[in-house]
Amino acid sequence: MNIFQWIWRQLTSMRTALILLMTLGLASIPGSLFPQRNQNPMKVQDFFKANPTLAQWLDKAKIFDVYSSPWFSAIYILLFISLIGCVLPRSFEHAKAIGKKPPLTPKYLDRMEGFVELDRATEGALDDAQKWLKKNRFRVRREEGSISAEKGYSRETGNLLFHLSLIVILFAVAAGGIYGSKGETILNVGDRFINTPTSYDNISFAKFQREGDMAPFSLRILDFKATYDVTTKAPTDYTLKVAAANPIGSKEVLKTIKVNSPLTYGSTKVYLQANGYSPVVAVHDKSGTLIFEGPVTFLPQDSNLTSIGAIKLPDMTPQIGMVASFLPTADRSATRGAFSAFPEVLDPRLLVSVWMGNLGLDSGNPQSVYRVDTSKMQRIGLKALGVGDVYNFGQGTLTFEGYKSWVNLQIVDDPGKMYALVGAILAILGLLTSLFTRQRRIWIKVEPRVQIAGLAKNGVPGLEEELASLKAALMKKEEQA
Amino acid sequence: MTSRNLAYLSNYAIYSAIVLYTIAFFAHAIEVSFSVKNADESAKTTFDFSRTERSGRIGTAMMILGFLFLFAGVILRGASAHRVPWGNMYEFSITGALAFSGAYLFALLKYRLRWLGLPVSIAVLLTLGTAITVLYRPSAPLVPALKSTWLAIHVSAAIVSGGVFLLANTIAATYLILDRMEERGGRSEWAKKLPTLEVLDQLSYRLVAFVFPLWTFAVIAGAIWAESAWGRYWGWDPKETWAFITWVAYAAYLHARVTAGWRGRKAAWLCLFAGSTFLFNYVYVNIWGTGRHTYSGL
Ligand code: HEM
């Protein structure tokens, strides 16, 4: 045996598989205790701020990216190989053994479970036993002077099906990481979306996914409706209505998207992820020329959808920036100031503070669209507006024309998904078959006297009753004779 | 009937169940403690065994009644909110207690398990007590993400699995305690009524083998639901991660038993470990954890 054979044998041994399995379980723990970049990047930043040195060390160990780290992948891949290496040969062996007879009767039965010698004549005993075994659907091997019978063969079949399905699932998960794409886009009611990479606010492609492979559909956002429980103010339902065309340019079809029912095109699904309000505003300059008009996406801050946003007007001279909040149902208290008391729009207000100066847009640093960098600006006005109100801030006017809802759509293409589901279903079927099948052997010998014994795999109970019933069958025949 | 009345009725049913389980607890405690006194041979007191027998039976009867009231409480809670009663931790807890005591009663049909009544009633009382004092939330409709048939399927499978895992854990713990006693020279008198170590060992294995497929199913149903609600079937969210760890731990337990031949003490410890990952997931991730699964309402 050379060194490679030795390594292969070690890797594919069951002990190794078990250890790898346990290691995978342990390795996934840190990811549940420390914030993860792909789930909650803000929390990771907070952690860095709170414990800078510790965070650096942890980051070197990929503690903030556990599930895509080299060491996690290494365990996963080793387990994968180990599983294939041990399950495939077993499957071939099992397939070969399917048509075969049970193994020969052992020489001495008295060491086996439930061994008894029967007080009956040896003639006809094997025939009687064979009849009973066939009736109970054992596979029977009749030899000179003995019978070897087996039942519960499907245990191994189920067990192999289960392990093979695990391989299928692992493949499917890997496929999802290699092919596919995932992106997000924010759309106002009335907007149109075409499924190309440039339409997204952000999109990421898996290694082997080409951009041309995206499903060629377009959506028009017709209506979005959110309903809320009046007492708890918790959302009870979100319904999004879209006109969808697939492929682009074909006849549009009305579709409804809800939180638990995405729109599906092959392996691509469109999910409703989040929603909020976009106040619709118009800004005119001093001469009355329209500078800007349209909805501005605001970011919800609490469960009552108090939302913040920014209106930036770099084309005015001097530049104007407005720091704003939108209150769907305005209320006011001494401690909190103005806030929203309910997530639905019942009494909307737009609060703006207007700043003049340099917006800092050409400094090179990327800026949030929801905030204004006021470090080089001075405040020139402050106002609360109702729908229809016009506010003259000196340099021009702001009109609060109304509001629209926006939705955040997540569009995911995962071609491995279906295979994972099929694998999962097969895994459960295999598991049920194997865990609820008892595998056992029964032997009968007539030399020198009638002897019966059995063996139950894994010592699962139930064999005793079976042997007793066989014994009863054999003795009854004897009495009748 | 209005939602509000239904919610009140549900609460009364839960309170009644607590009273019934308390009686069951005392009945089982009397049964056990009388056997203890009997052990004291020097005192030469004779005891009427039929009295402890009756006490045990009362205990079982109360467990059954308590189960029925708890069942009613859970159903009414669901009816009051027009949905399945699994929307927050209070509801998970009462349903979990229901599954746990249901698993006990179910096992009682097949095995001589009445002795387990004492630990089971203690555990149910603790769960219900915490639920109604710390975790209680008024009945309310679900947030949209929880509105799915898969919620009913996923959560019911998970809760039943949890109930049976805990029962297997109780038995494994009993195994370890008795094993220790036997090693130190023999069982205390009260423990002599309990089954042999082999029976306990087999029993906890059979329970795990019975629910492992169900737990696998619960995890998969969760993945299907996550796929339809969040756009990915697996995201290593803390709850998902710990469900996976529990699954791996029980798979290791089954392997260790079936293929490596572990029995008895080592197997019992592994069983306890696997069960504690489930509990950890329930308590830690729901209350202190982050991620999308924190629906505790706390
Ligand atoms: C090298 C890899 C592996 C080998 C050789 C292996 C082998 C086996 C064997 C021989 C059994 C017992 C079947 C019986 O006697 O009925 C078994 C059962 C089991 N294995 Fe594995 N296994 C491997 C990897 C895994 C992995 C990665 C998992 C994942 C969790 C797993 C989960 C299970 C479960 C849950 C059972 C018990 C259910 C049953 O009896 O079918 N195995 N395995």
Side-chain angles (χ1 to χ4, degrees):
Chain A
M1 187 164 56
N2 67 32
I3 182 81
F4 292 106
Q5 278 173 326
W6 183 84
I7 292 178
W8 179 250
R9 196 163 298 173
Q10 292 304 312
L11 182 60
T12 57
S13 80
M14 184 140 98
R15 174 191 292 261
T16 314
L18 257 185
I19 292 173
L20 286 172
L21 186 60
M22 288 301 266
T23 317
L24 191 67
L26 288 177
S28 61
I29 293 179
S32 75
L33 303 179
F34 293 96
Q36 297 295 295
R37 277 214 177 81
N38 60 349
Q39 291 169 2
N40 210 333
M42 302 300 272
K43 279 239 167 104
V44 178
Q45 275 181 18
D46 292 348
F47 195 99
F48 265 87
K49 264 180 217 141
N51 318 287
T53 34
L54 177 64
Q56 260 172 11
W57 283 104
L58 291 176
D59 202 25
K60 284 208 179 100
K62 297 279 178 208
I63 290 293
F64 303 111
D65 308 274
V66 167
Y67 306 106
S68 53
S69 68
W71 48 268
F72 193 78
S73 313
I75 301 171
Y76 171 93
I77 291 167
L78 281 177
L79 175 64
F80 198 16
I81 298 173
S82 163
L83 195 57
I84 294 176
C86 78
V87 174
L88 282 187
R90 275 207 308 151
S91 307
F92 292 132
E93 236 159 71
H94 183 64
K96 268 192 271 169
I98 273 182
K100 285 209 188 132
K101 294 174 170 177
L104 276 175
T105 310
K107 216 164 203 163
Y108 302 104
L109 286 187
D110 50 355
R111 295 194 193 135
M112 298 296 170
E113 282 170 53
F115 170 78
V116 270
E117 280 191 335
L118 301 191
D119 192 14
R120 68 159 277 175
T122 52
E123 296 102 79
L126 286 185
D127 291 334
D128 293 345
Q130 186 161 3
K131 231 179 258 163
W132 185 90
L133 289 166
K134 288 264 173 187
K135 203 177 77 198
N136 286 284
R137 292 191 313 208
F138 275 78
R139 303 187 324 145
V140 174
R141 174 176 194 163
R142 176 99 180 239
E143 299 281 331
E144 185 69 36
S146 76
I147 284 181
S148 156
E150 189 171 28
K151 190 175 173 180
Y153 214 63
S154 51
R155 181 186 174 98
E156 178 73 357
T157 314
N159 180 46
L160 286 171
L161 177 63
F162 170 72
H163 287 86
L164 289 171
S165 311
L166 291 184
I167 300 179
V168 173
I169 296 176
L170 287 175
F171 261 118
V173 172
I178 297 176
Y179 297 102
S181 62
K182 178 174 178 172
E184 281 183 41
T185 176
I186 289 183
L187 300 168
N188 287 307
V189 171
D191 284 359
R192 181 150 186 264
F193 172 83
I194 295 173
N195 193 30
T196 56
T198 45
S199 314
Y200 285 84
D201 296 336
N202 64 68
I203 183 164
S204 58
F205 289 96
K207 269 205 189 79
F208 294 111
Q209 179 81 5
R210 287 201 318 267
E211 298 186 358
D213 295 343
M214 297 178 75
F217 63 87
S218 72
L219 304 175
R220 220 155 33 83
I221 309 294
L222 299 180
D223 182 43
F224 175 75
K225 196 162 172 46
T227 57
Y228 299 89
D229 187 81
V230 182
T231 38
T232 62
K233 301 171 183 174
T236 53
D237 185 57
Y238 299 125
T239 304
L240 174 65
K241 293 229 155 59
V242 298
N246 184 31
I248 299 163
S250 63
K251 193 172 175 308
E252 286 188 329
V253 194
L254 184 74
K255 298 268 187 189
T256 303
I257 304 178
K258 284 175 162 268
V259 173
N260 276 310
S261 68
L263 176 63
T264 307
Y265 290 119
S267 60
T268 304
K269 293 195 176 186
V270 182
Y271 298 91
L272 176 59
Q273 286 283 310
N275 62 280
Y277 293 110
S278 302
V280 182
V281 297
V283 181
H284 294 81
D285 67 11
K286 273 191 273 197
S287 66
T289 335
L290 183 65
I291 304 286
F292 173 86
E293 181 173 29
V296 184
T297 308
F298 275 38
L299 203 60
Q301 300 298 301
D302 58 25
S303 58
N304 284 327
L305 298 188
T306 303
S307 306
I308 59 157
I311 303 164
K312 299 184 192 180
L313 303 158
D315 298 338
M316 288 178 79
T317 30
Q319 291 185 328
I320 298 291
M322 300 182 192
V323 181
S325 39
F326 175 74
L327 313 175
T329 299
D331 203 344
R332 171 168 276 289
S333 79
T335 47
R336 290 173 60 191
F339 65 97
S340 174
F342 197 69
E344 242 171 288
V345 179
L346 301 177
D347 181 16
R349 285 282 187 292
L350 183 67
L351 315 180
V352 288
S353 71
V354 183
W355 297 70
M356 186 175 74
N358 185 349
L359 281 168
L361 289 180
D362 31 51
S363 70
N365 295 333
Q367 267 196 17
S368 162
V369 294
Y370 303 109
R371 286 175 213 285
V372 176
D373 176 7
T374 53
S375 55
K376 291 191 191 115
M377 307 185 89
Q378 83 193 72
R379 192 157 79 186
I380 56 172
L382 193 65
K383 183 80 178 169
L385 292 88
V387 175
D389 289 354
V390 181
Y391 168 46
N392 187 337
F393 54 86
Q395 301 293 316
T397 59
L398 169 74
T399 316
F400 178 29
E401 297 185 334
Y403 60 91
K404 283 184 170 178
S405 288
W406 59 256
V407 289
N408 183 354
L409 297 184
Q410 187 183 348
I411 301 176
V412 184
D413 179 15
D414 181 353
K417 213 146 57 179
M418 276 322 290
Y419 302 101
L421 181 62
V422 170
I425 292 171
L426 291 179
I428 290 198
L429 290 180
L431 204 52
L432 287 172
T433 318
S434 98
L435 283 173
F436 291 111
T437 313
R438 296 185 292 123
Q439 191 174 358
R440 64 270 191 207
R441 295 195 180 131
I442 290 183
W443 298 286
I444 303 104
K445 253 189 170 164
V446 290
E447 283 300 319
R449 306 178 57 197
V450 181
Q451 301 177 327
I452 58 177
L455 181 68
K457 195 158 181 197
N458 308 327
V460 184
L463 181 70
E464 272 164 48
E465 290 85 38
E466 239 161 0
L467 284 174
S469 135
L470 170 63
K471 181 178 159 189
L474 288 176
M475 297 310 286
K476 201 165 86 195
K477 276 286 163 71
E478 175 78 357
E479 275 161 32
Q480 283 169 355
Chain B
M1 199 176 306
T2 66
S3 291
R4 202 159 184 181
N5 288 343
L6 286 173
Y8 281 138
L9 267 186
S10 164
N11 291 355
Y12 287 133
I14 303 281
Y15 285 129
S16 313
I18 290 182
V19 173
L20 289 165
Y21 281 113
T22 313
I23 301 176
F25 163 72
F26 281 115
H28 283 300
I30 287 170
E31 184 194 12
V32 169
S33 55
F34 267 79
S35 309
V36 176
K37 279 193 183 162
N38 204 37
D40 191 2
E41 277 161 28
S42 60
K44 289 202 183 83
T45 358
T46 50
F47 280 93
D48 183 1
F49 273 115
S50 63
R51 256 168 64 195
T52 58
E53 173 63 22
R54 191 180 309 151
S55 181
R57 283 177 187 217
I58 290 175
T60 301
M62 291 301 136
M63 294 289 271
I64 294 173
L65 269 181
F67 174 81
L68 293 177
F69 271 85
L70 192 52
F71 186 69
V74 170
I75 297 284
L76 288 169
R77 177 82 183 184
S80 78
H82 307 290
R83 58 173 169 80
V84 287
W86 308 313
N88 55 42
M89 249 184 118
Y90 168 70
E91 295 170 1
F92 292 146
S93 298
I94 58 176
T95 318
L98 181 73
F100 180 55
S101 66
Y104 164 71
L105 291 177
F106 183 73
L108 197 59
L109 289 177
K110 274 187 79 175
Y111 299 93
R112 292 181 53 211
L113 273 180
R114 202 171 72 198
W115 54 273
L116 255 186
L118 190 62
V120 168
S121 56
I122 293 175
V124 170
L125 280 173
L126 283 178
T127 314
L128 290 181
T130 335
I132 211 131
T133 50
V134 184
L135 305 173
Y136 185 79
R137 287 294 168 279
S139 184
L142 288 180
V143 297
L146 287 179
K147 279 193 180 146
S148 162
T149 345
W150 286 107
L151 168 73
I153 298 171
H154 164 65
V155 180
S156 56
I159 289 179
V160 173
S161 308
V164 180
F165 283 151
L166 291 191
L167 192 62
N169 256 14
T170 318
I171 293 170
T174 315
Y175 178 97
L176 289 170
I177 295 170
L178 294 187
D179 182 45
R180 187 117 195 229
M181 276 185 192
E182 290 191 0
E183 204 180 47
R184 294 200 174 161
R187 294 187 181 190
S188 309
E189 205 66 23
W190 63 269
K192 283 193 173 148
K193 277 164 78 183
L194 307 189
T196 60
L197 289 178
E198 290 81 76
V199 170
L200 293 175
D201 184 51
Q202 268 295 322
L203 190 58
S204 63
Y205 165 64
R206 306 225 78 194
L207 286 171
V208 172
F210 170 76
V211 289
F212 186 76
L214 186 66
W215 176 243
T216 310
F217 173 74
V219 174
I220 292 172
I224 294 175
W225 174 30
E227 196 273 333
S228 71
W230 302 326
R232 86 290 189 288
Y233 58 90
W234 196 267
W236 294 109
D237 177 287
K239 194 100 189 172
E240 294 167 358
T241 304
W242 280 93
F244 173 74
I245 293 169
T246 302
W247 187 76
V248 164
Y250 277 111
Y253 170 82
L254 288 177
H255 262 175
R257 257 200 106 90
V258 174
T259 53
W262 282 24
R263 291 282 181 278
R265 203 178 298 171
K266 280 202 287 188
W269 278 114
L270 193 50
C271 181
L272 276 186
F273 167 75
S276 51
T277 65
F278 181 89
L279 270 186
F280 180 80
N281 197 356
Y282 183 64
V283 177
Y284 169 80
V285 179
N286 264 332
I287 299 181
W288 293 286
T290 55
R292 297 179 133 170
H293 272 92
T294 35
Y295 295 121
S296 60
L298 296 180

